[in-house]
Amino acid sequence: MDTAYHEILQRSSNWYLFPTYTGQVSEDIECDVFSSACPSRPVLEDVTGRWGALALGALADGPMRFNELRRHVDGVSQKMLAQSLQALERDGLVLRDVQSTFPLKVEYSLTPTGAVLAGKLLDLIAYLTTSMPTILTAQQTYDEAHTG
Amino acid sequence: MDTAYHEILQRSSNWYLFPTYTGQVSEDIECDVFSSACPSRPVLEDVTGRWGALALGALADGPMRFNELRRHVDGVSQKMLAQSLQALERDGLVLRDVQSTFPLKVEYSLTPTGAVLAGKLLDLIAYLTTSMPTILTAQQTYDEAHTG
DNA sequence: CGGGATCCGTGGTGATACTG
DNA sequence: CAGTATCACCACGGATCCCG
């Protein structure tokens, strides 16, 4: 990965460009999340980000409307949910189906790729959940040791 | 989960308390990341957060020293890496071994629980990586459709 | 109902410098 | 080498209002 490409990508903080990917996308692209310039970095953040992960996980239950999703992902604001969903839609992980009836009806669902990622996320979350007793005691121990 | 407990937890933004978990931790705790008050929420953020996820993933390669880790996780600042590692250590997912030689030597490694989570993260990352061509074209399509 | 637009606080984040 | 401390800043994220 040459330095010029590096510089271009690092300059754009949130809205990333990948000029070299324009046109045909060959499979011999080296994609490494551990490299800060790789386009996969922001996608990983969309997927594992605070609300993105929960939105994906919730959608694994099946298609859902906006406010329905909002209730599932407890604590998320309208703004952040809309923002996260847009990012996921842009990444081709979430589908947005608008029915222009009145009142407006918008259904969100997972694309095949999104469904796989959601599954892996839920797998991680499930393990995390079962590990919570261990984790909580670890936190207590740590906090007691670091008093002051 | 009663409301009083709910309120206490919601007030603390980042440094969370779980008074009801003090003492013995029974297994019949309902732990649901989708509930904003659940102690697993902040842990999930530690694990899937911007730098936490990459740190865990890097440590799956084996124990590593601080600056070694810093080179692996390209783009992370000292501050954020230290911060992320502390959170993971507090959660009992990362072990910190200090050798008080000179120069100072600190080795980070994964605990058993951390290793499992790291594995699941790497699994997700691997799939994400292979999906990048699809995702990139999806992004292009989206961007072209939303011109203006 | 599902957002977009706007305003605004605060805290997450990085740069720099300093300590053990 | 492995952090901590301080500072300054911008973006995240919430609240509110408004539109289709």
Side-chain angles (χ1 to χ4, degrees):
Chain A
M1 198 167 277
D2 64 351
T3 44
Y5 174 61
H6 234 80
E7 282 172 339
I8 292 173
L9 281 171
Q10 284 183 332
R11 204 158 7 183
S12 61
S13 62
N14 211 347
W15 221 241
Y16 24 88
L17 320 164
F18 7 87
T20 51
Y21 290 87
T22 312
Q24 76 281 15
V25 178
S26 54
E27 299 106 61
D28 53 7
I29 297 171
E30 293 181 21
C31 228
D32 180 16
V33 268
F34 293 98
S35 167
S36 66
C38 182
S40 61
R41 256 300 171 90
V43 178
L44 182 65
E45 283 167 27
D46 292 340
V47 173
T48 65
R50 170 139 40 147
W51 303 120
L54 294 175
L56 277 179
L59 282 176
D61 283 353
M64 234 173 279
R65 300 183 59 181
F66 188 82
N67 280 331
E68 203 174 350
L69 201 46
R70 192 152 141 63
R71 278 188 296 276
H72 270 71
V73 183
D74 186 30
V76 69
S77 67
Q78 309 175 24
K79 181 184 177 180
M80 293 318 296
L81 182 57
Q83 200 169 296
S84 304
L85 286 171
Q86 276 174 31
L88 293 173
E89 189 197 357
R90 190 178 105 97
D91 295 335
L93 304 179
V94 159
L95 232 55
R96 183 169 177 269
D97 182 32
V98 189
Q99 290 167 245
S100 301
T101 60
F102 190 85
L104 209 55
K105 182 173 178 179
V106 183
E107 269 218 344
Y108 292 91
S109 57
L110 295 176
T111 65
T113 307
V116 175
L117 286 174
K120 294 186 181 301
L121 265 172
L122 287 179
D123 184 30
L124 190 149
I125 289 174
Y127 184 78
L128 190 85
T129 302
T130 67
S131 305
M132 278 311 291
T134 309
I135 293 176
L136 287 174
T137 54
Q139 289 181 343
Q140 286 178 200
T141 307
Y142 183 95
D143 290 344
E144 283 164 14
H146 295 240
T147 302
Chain B
M1 196 169 278
D2 65 348
T3 45
Y5 175 61
H6 234 80
E7 283 173 337
I8 292 173
L9 282 170
Q10 284 183 333
R11 206 158 6 185
S12 62
S13 62
N14 211 347
W15 219 242
Y16 23 87
L17 319 165
F18 5 87
T20 51
Y21 289 87
T22 311
Q24 76 280 16
V25 177
S26 54
E27 299 105 63
D28 52 7
I29 296 172
E30 291 181 23
C31 228
D32 180 17
V33 268
F34 293 99
S35 168
S36 67
C38 182
S40 61
R41 259 294 175 91
V43 178
L44 181 66
E45 283 167 28
D46 292 340
V47 173
T48 65
R50 170 137 41 145
W51 304 119
L54 294 175
L56 277 179
L59 283 176
D61 283 354
M64 234 172 280
R65 300 182 57 180
F66 187 82
N67 280 331
E68 201 174 351
L69 201 46
R70 192 153 140 61
R71 279 188 297 276
H72 269 71
V73 182
D74 187 29
V76 69
S77 66
Q78 312 172 27
K79 181 184 176 180
M80 292 318 296
L81 183 56
Q83 200 168 296
S84 304
L85 286 171
Q86 275 174 29
L88 294 173
E89 189 197 356
R90 188 178 107 98
D91 295 335
L93 305 178
V94 159
L95 232 55
R96 183 169 177 268
D97 183 32
V98 190
Q99 290 168 247
S100 301
T101 61
F102 190 85
L104 211 55
K105 184 172 176 179
V106 182
E107 269 217 343
Y108 291 90
S109 58
L110 296 175
T111 65
T113 306
V116 176
L117 286 174
K120 294 186 181 300
L121 266 172
L122 286 179
D123 184 31
L124 190 149
I125 289 175
Y127 185 77
L128 190 86
T129 303
T130 67
S131 305
M132 278 311 292
T134 310
I135 293 175
L136 288 173
T137 55
Q139 289 180 343
Q140 286 177 201
T141 308
Y142 184 95
D143 291 344
E144 284 163 13
H146 295 239
T147 302

